[in-house]
Amino acid sequence: MIELARQWVGEQAQFRVVDLDQPDFDIHPGSIDVVVASLVLHYVKDWTPLLHCLSESLAPGGSFVFSLHHPITGWLLSNRDDYHRVELVSETWNWDAAAVTARIYRRPLSTIFGPLREAGFSIDVVDEPRIQPSADISADDLHTINTQPLFLFIRAIRDA
């Protein structure tokens, strides 16, 4: 995916592969304007080190834009005995006629927004996406995406 992104934008952006459980961006503090993480954070159990590293790397007013599984979706995948716990859950879906199982950390809203604030971010946007019909999505998938809480989109701004 990194190589594909490099092909799309060339030298207009920098791309790096980083271990998000032990982040070290090796970047001058405050030198990044925008960080995008699409459907990545639910693979990281403890966000605290990552969010502090991001906050230090972003310029004041810089944006951290990310999406993750909706907390309700994660709750439905869990055994539902403690909503407030961060826990590993599994989800299986079909991808090109093959069953794919992902193990993700589901978390309550407080462990999404609390660590962001503690790391020096203000929440700018929270959205539960809906999409328009298109030729690349089946009517069934469109219905699911537009009627169920599947994803949460967040834009957080690094405080000055």
Side-chain angles (χ1 to χ4, degrees), residues 130-144:
R130 298 180 77 191
I131 61 173
Q132 298 298 315
S134 76
D136 357 6
I137 189 163
S138 72
D140 288 342
D141 288 343
L142 180 70
H143 177 77
T144 298

Side-chain angles (χ1 to χ4, degrees), residues 51-64:
L51 294 177
H52 283 281
C53 190
L54 287 173
S55 181
E56 289 175 9
S57 300
L58 279 167
S63 299
F64 175 38

Side-chain angles (χ1 to χ4, degrees), residues 58-119:
L58 279 167
S63 299
F64 175 38
V65 180
F66 64 98
S67 60
L68 68 156
H69 280 84
H70 197 288
I72 291 173
T73 303
W75 173 246
L76 294 175
L77 293 170
S78 75
N79 63 14
R80 301 184 205 161
D81 67 350
D82 183 357
Y83 167 77
H84 298 285
R85 180 177 66 223
V86 174
E87 68 179 316
L88 195 59
V89 297
S90 295
E91 179 179 30
T92 302
W93 67 90
N94 288 323
W95 185 271
D96 288 336
V100 176
T101 300
R103 295 172 50 84
I104 62 172
Y105 289 97
R106 70 130 204 116
R107 63 193 70 239
L109 287 170
S110 60
T111 61
I112 294 171
F113 295 107
L116 282 165
R117 289 189 314 271
E118 289 168 13

Side-chain angles (χ1 to χ4, degrees), residues 134-157:
S134 76
D136 357 6
I137 189 163
S138 72
D140 288 342
D141 288 343
L142 180 70
H143 177 77
T144 298
I145 290 169
N146 285 337
T147 61
Q148 296 180 27
L150 298 178
F151 304 107
L152 198 60
F153 289 7
I154 299 170
R155 182 172 61 202
I157 307 297

